[in-house]
Amino acid sequence: MKETLNQRLGRLWPALVATALVLVMACAPALAAKKSKSSAPAGPNYQEALNSAYAKFKDLQEGKNADYIPALAEVDPKIFGIALVTTDGRVFTSGDIGSMVSIQSISKVFTMAKVMEEQGPDAILKNMGVDATGQAFNSIVAIEQYKGSEMNAMVNPGAITTTSMVSGGSREEIWNKILGTYADFAGRPLTVNQEVFKSEAETNQRNQAIAMLMYAYGHIKENPLQACDIYTEQCAVNVNAKDLAEMAATLANGGKNPVTGKQCMKAENVPEVLAVMATAGLYDDSGKWLYATGLPAKSGVGGGILAVSPGKFGIAVISPPLDAAGNSIRGQLAARFLSRRLGLDLFASVPQR
Ligand code: DON
């Protein structure tokens, strides 16, 4: 008599169950290993990547210290330090970590963050804008083009205006807020390099003119020269590569310092800050930088540069010799090397399966 399908399944059922059991037992160790691997990825060897970047660019001698601020010309051009801080709070360094440089324009990022905290994200957008100028960081033509609008908080006119927007009843109160903000991001108290502050304060007539123009066009509401002076002091804050990497890692970590655990700014304001860094963080060379690295970054004429890999880590380099746009040469090369070695380019995409 012909066997029905049900009869045949009933006869084969015990054999099927036994086969499935054998398969599950054979694969269990492999599945367990895979699970533990994905919950604690080994990840790239960060220390090795930093050491390689240091070794590769240590002897490079291109570029020149900034000298339009006389004290910066005196800084040792051999200083070269690299740091990486992960969003889970691990710190890696290579090279000169004890040495410090003045933060200069990198400060603009954190004053912008402070103003966004106080006045909301649109305050910057409405006052000076979020567009690249395509001009040098201290361009007066860029102010004249749109009467101080259609620019950004990373170039000097926008940055001095941003400093003027920090609230406070006295210069001291405003200053303490700014320095306190930087210290929170860096995870330690910071101090001003008085020699650099004095040197720039004596030679910053161009920035004073910029502040007066931004006042004339109504972007700075009051005390333009005080704003310029506080801006000059904020640029003279001393930092090492690890400080800058921790500041960058705080931005990478939704505004929460991953080492101290302090929430330094609202997570929802971070993308706007990173967007302006991507657009204008390296001034008229921002396009070239983004093309090469795919990372938001900010440079300073003291020789510092920091880059943010959102959700992953902050990277920073200090090395005083600069290129013509005012960006650290070894800083750019080392950060670009790390972006490539660690696969950080935000625009690198693979199709979704
Ligand atoms: O205002 C200035 O000229 C300096 N205190 C800062 C300029 C700066 O860092 C430009 N960055 N690359």
Short mmCIF file of all heavy atoms in Angstrom, two decimals, residues 112-146:
data_model
loop_
_atom_site.label_atom_id
_atom_site.label_comp_id
_atom_site.label_asym_id
_atom_site.label_seq_id
_atom_site.Cartn_x
_atom_site.Cartn_y
_atom_site.Cartn_z
N MET A 112 31.29 78.61 20.75
CA MET A 112 30.05 78.41 19.98
C MET A 112 29.12 77.46 20.74
O MET A 112 27.91 77.71 20.88
CB MET A 112 30.37 77.83 18.60
CG MET A 112 29.15 77.50 17.77
SD MET A 112 29.59 76.72 16.19
CE MET A 112 27.96 76.27 15.61
N ALA A 113 29.69 76.37 21.25
CA ALA A 113 28.88 75.40 22.00
C ALA A 113 28.23 76.08 23.21
O ALA A 113 27.05 75.86 23.50
CB ALA A 113 29.75 74.24 22.46
N LYS A 114 28.99 76.95 23.89
CA LYS A 114 28.46 77.62 25.08
C LYS A 114 27.28 78.53 24.72
O LYS A 114 26.25 78.55 25.40
CB LYS A 114 29.59 78.44 25.75
CG LYS A 114 29.17 79.15 27.01
CD LYS A 114 28.90 78.14 28.12
CE LYS A 114 28.32 78.77 29.35
NZ LYS A 114 27.84 77.75 30.29
N VAL A 115 27.44 79.29 23.63
CA VAL A 115 26.36 80.20 23.22
C VAL A 115 25.12 79.39 22.83
O VAL A 115 23.98 79.77 23.15
CB VAL A 115 26.84 81.13 22.08
CG1 VAL A 115 25.67 81.87 21.46
CG2 VAL A 115 27.88 82.10 22.61
N MET A 116 25.31 78.25 22.17
CA MET A 116 24.16 77.42 21.81
C MET A 116 23.47 76.88 23.07
O MET A 116 22.24 76.75 23.09
CB MET A 116 24.60 76.28 20.91
CG MET A 116 24.97 76.78 19.52
SD MET A 116 25.73 75.52 18.52
CE MET A 116 24.32 74.59 17.99
N GLU A 117 24.26 76.58 24.09
CA GLU A 117 23.67 76.12 25.34
C GLU A 117 22.81 77.22 25.95
O GLU A 117 21.73 76.98 26.47
CB GLU A 117 24.76 75.74 26.35
CG GLU A 117 25.49 74.47 26.02
CD GLU A 117 24.57 73.27 25.93
OE1 GLU A 117 24.04 72.82 26.94
OE2 GLU A 117 24.37 72.78 24.79
N GLU A 118 23.34 78.46 25.89
CA GLU A 118 22.64 79.57 26.56
C GLU A 118 21.43 80.06 25.76
O GLU A 118 20.43 80.46 26.33
CB GLU A 118 23.60 80.74 26.76
CG GLU A 118 24.62 80.50 27.85
CD GLU A 118 25.38 81.77 28.22
OE1 GLU A 118 25.33 82.78 27.49
OE2 GLU A 118 26.04 81.75 29.26
N GLN A 119 21.58 80.08 24.42
CA GLN A 119 20.56 80.76 23.62
C GLN A 119 19.85 79.87 22.62
O GLN A 119 19.03 80.36 21.85
CB GLN A 119 21.21 81.93 22.86
CG GLN A 119 21.84 82.96 23.77
CD GLN A 119 22.34 84.16 22.99
OE1 GLN A 119 21.79 84.49 21.94
NE2 GLN A 119 23.35 84.83 23.49
N GLY A 120 20.22 78.59 22.58
CA GLY A 120 19.60 77.68 21.62
C GLY A 120 20.38 77.67 20.31
O GLY A 120 21.13 78.60 20.01
N PRO A 121 20.18 76.60 19.53
CA PRO A 121 21.00 76.39 18.34
C PRO A 121 20.83 77.44 17.26
O PRO A 121 21.72 77.65 16.45
CB PRO A 121 20.55 75.01 17.84
CG PRO A 121 19.24 74.76 18.49
CD PRO A 121 19.23 75.52 19.77
N ASP A 122 19.68 78.14 17.25
CA ASP A 122 19.45 79.09 16.15
C ASP A 122 20.15 80.43 16.35
O ASP A 122 20.23 81.23 15.41
CB ASP A 122 17.95 79.32 15.96
CG ASP A 122 17.29 78.10 15.34
OD1 ASP A 122 18.05 77.20 14.88
OD2 ASP A 122 16.05 78.04 15.32
N ALA A 123 20.65 80.68 17.55
CA ALA A 123 21.26 81.99 17.82
C ALA A 123 22.43 82.26 16.88
O ALA A 123 22.58 83.36 16.34
CB ALA A 123 21.70 82.07 19.28
N ILE A 124 23.26 81.24 16.68
CA ILE A 124 24.44 81.39 15.82
C ILE A 124 23.99 81.51 14.36
O ILE A 124 24.44 82.39 13.63
CB ILE A 124 25.35 80.15 16.00
CG1 ILE A 124 25.88 80.08 17.44
CG2 ILE A 124 26.46 80.10 14.97
CD1 ILE A 124 26.92 81.09 17.81
N LEU A 125 23.09 80.63 13.99
CA LEU A 125 22.57 80.63 12.61
C LEU A 125 22.02 82.00 12.24
O LEU A 125 22.29 82.55 11.17
CB LEU A 125 21.47 79.57 12.52
CG LEU A 125 20.75 79.40 11.19
CD1 LEU A 125 21.68 78.80 10.16
CD2 LEU A 125 19.53 78.49 11.36
N LYS A 126 21.26 82.60 13.16
CA LYS A 126 20.60 83.87 12.86
C LYS A 126 21.58 85.03 12.89
O LYS A 126 21.44 85.98 12.13
CB LYS A 126 19.48 84.13 13.87
CG LYS A 126 18.27 83.27 13.60
CD LYS A 126 17.09 83.72 14.43
CE LYS A 126 15.90 82.79 14.24
NZ LYS A 126 15.25 82.44 15.48
N ASN A 127 22.56 84.99 13.79
CA ASN A 127 23.43 86.16 13.92
C ASN A 127 24.48 86.25 12.82
O ASN A 127 24.54 87.23 12.09
CB ASN A 127 24.07 86.21 15.31
CG ASN A 127 24.65 87.58 15.61
OD1 ASN A 127 24.81 88.41 14.71
ND2 ASN A 127 24.96 87.86 16.85
N MET A 128 25.32 85.20 12.71
CA MET A 128 26.38 85.33 11.68
C MET A 128 26.29 84.28 10.58
O MET A 128 26.99 84.39 9.59
CB MET A 128 27.77 85.36 12.31
CG MET A 128 28.36 84.07 12.74
SD MET A 128 27.70 83.41 14.27
CE MET A 128 28.01 84.65 15.48
N GLY A 129 25.41 83.27 10.77
CA GLY A 129 25.23 82.29 9.71
C GLY A 129 26.10 81.07 9.90
O GLY A 129 26.88 80.96 10.86
N VAL A 130 26.00 80.14 8.96
CA VAL A 130 26.77 78.88 9.03
C VAL A 130 27.32 78.53 7.65
O VAL A 130 27.34 77.36 7.27
CB VAL A 130 25.91 77.72 9.61
CG1 VAL A 130 25.59 77.97 11.07
CG2 VAL A 130 24.62 77.52 8.83
N ASP A 131 27.76 79.54 6.93
CA ASP A 131 28.30 79.27 5.60
C ASP A 131 29.79 79.54 5.54
O ASP A 131 30.31 80.43 6.21
CB ASP A 131 27.59 80.15 4.56
CG ASP A 131 26.27 79.52 4.14
OD1 ASP A 131 26.29 78.35 3.74
OD2 ASP A 131 25.22 80.20 4.26
N ALA A 132 30.45 78.78 4.67
CA ALA A 132 31.88 79.00 4.45
C ALA A 132 32.07 80.35 3.75
O ALA A 132 31.24 80.75 2.93
CB ALA A 132 32.43 77.89 3.58
N THR A 133 33.16 81.03 4.09
CA THR A 133 33.43 82.31 3.41
C THR A 133 34.34 82.10 2.20
O THR A 133 34.37 82.95 1.31
CB THR A 133 34.13 83.30 4.35
OG1 THR A 133 35.41 82.77 4.71
CG2 THR A 133 33.31 83.56 5.60
N GLY A 134 35.11 81.02 2.19
CA GLY A 134 36.09 80.83 1.12
C GLY A 134 37.24 81.81 1.23
O GLY A 134 38.07 81.91 0.33
N GLN A 135 37.30 82.54 2.33
CA GLN A 135 38.34 83.56 2.55
C GLN A 135 39.19 83.17 3.75
O GLN A 135 38.82 82.27 4.51
CB GLN A 135 37.68 84.92 2.84
CG GLN A 135 36.74 85.40 1.77
CD GLN A 135 37.45 85.98 0.55
OE1 GLN A 135 38.64 86.29 0.61
NE2 GLN A 135 36.73 86.09 -0.55
N ALA A 136 40.29 83.89 3.94
CA ALA A 136 41.15 83.66 5.10
C ALA A 136 40.36 83.90 6.39
O ALA A 136 39.33 84.59 6.38
CB ALA A 136 42.35 84.59 5.06
N PHE A 137 40.88 83.34 7.51
CA PHE A 137 40.12 83.41 8.77
C PHE A 137 39.92 84.82 9.29
O PHE A 137 39.01 85.07 10.07
CB PHE A 137 40.79 82.53 9.84
CG PHE A 137 42.20 82.90 10.19
CD1 PHE A 137 42.46 83.91 11.11
CD2 PHE A 137 43.27 82.23 9.62
CE1 PHE A 137 43.76 84.24 11.46
CE2 PHE A 137 44.58 82.55 9.95
CZ PHE A 137 44.83 83.56 10.86
N ASN A 138 40.79 85.75 8.86
CA ASN A 138 40.64 87.13 9.36
C ASN A 138 40.30 88.09 8.23
O ASN A 138 40.66 89.27 8.26
CB ASN A 138 41.90 87.58 10.11
CG ASN A 138 43.15 87.45 9.26
OD1 ASN A 138 43.06 87.05 8.11
ND2 ASN A 138 44.27 87.80 9.83
N SER A 139 39.57 87.58 7.25
CA SER A 139 39.22 88.40 6.09
C SER A 139 38.20 89.49 6.43
O SER A 139 37.17 89.23 7.07
CB SER A 139 38.63 87.50 5.00
OG SER A 139 38.07 88.28 3.98
N ILE A 140 38.49 90.69 5.95
CA ILE A 140 37.55 91.80 6.11
C ILE A 140 36.63 91.86 4.89
O ILE A 140 35.45 92.23 5.00
CB ILE A 140 38.34 93.10 6.37
CG1 ILE A 140 38.83 93.05 7.83
CG2 ILE A 140 37.49 94.35 6.12
CD1 ILE A 140 39.77 94.11 8.26
N VAL A 141 37.14 91.41 3.76
CA VAL A 141 36.30 91.29 2.55
C VAL A 141 35.08 90.40 2.86
O VAL A 141 33.97 90.70 2.45
CB VAL A 141 37.12 90.68 1.39
CG1 VAL A 141 36.23 90.33 0.20
CG2 VAL A 141 38.24 91.63 0.98
N ALA A 142 35.32 89.32 3.62
CA ALA A 142 34.23 88.39 3.94
C ALA A 142 33.14 89.08 4.77
O ALA A 142 31.97 88.73 4.67
CB ALA A 142 34.78 87.18 4.70
N ILE A 143 33.52 90.07 5.58
CA ILE A 143 32.50 90.81 6.34
C ILE A 143 31.73 91.72 5.38
O ILE A 143 30.50 91.77 5.38
CB ILE A 143 33.14 91.70 7.43
CG1 ILE A 143 34.03 90.88 8.36
CG2 ILE A 143 32.05 92.45 8.21
CD1 ILE A 143 34.75 91.72 9.42
N GLU A 144 32.48 92.41 4.55
CA GLU A 144 31.86 93.40 3.66
C GLU A 144 30.88 92.77 2.69
O GLU A 144 29.86 93.38 2.34
CB GLU A 144 32.96 94.15 2.90
CG GLU A 144 33.73 95.13 3.77
CD GLU A 144 32.81 96.17 4.40
OE1 GLU A 144 31.98 96.76 3.69
OE2 GLU A 144 32.88 96.37 5.63
N GLN A 145 31.20 91.54 2.26
CA GLN A 145 30.37 90.90 1.23
C GLN A 145 28.88 90.86 1.60
O GLN A 145 28.04 91.19 0.78
CB GLN A 145 30.90 89.49 1.00
CG GLN A 145 30.34 88.86 -0.25
CD GLN A 145 30.88 87.46 -0.46
OE1 GLN A 145 31.57 86.90 0.39
NE2 GLN A 145 30.57 86.89 -1.61
N TYR A 146 28.59 90.46 2.85
CA TYR A 146 27.17 90.38 3.26
C TYR A 146 26.94 91.13 4.58
O TYR A 146 26.12 90.73 5.39
CB TYR A 146 26.73 88.92 3.43
CG TYR A 146 26.82 88.09 2.18
CD1 TYR A 146 27.74 87.07 2.07
CD2 TYR A 146 25.97 88.33 1.10
CE1 TYR A 146 27.84 86.29 0.92
CE2 TYR A 146 26.06 87.56 -0.06
CZ TYR A 146 27.00 86.56 -0.14
OH TYR A 146 27.08 85.79 -1.29
#
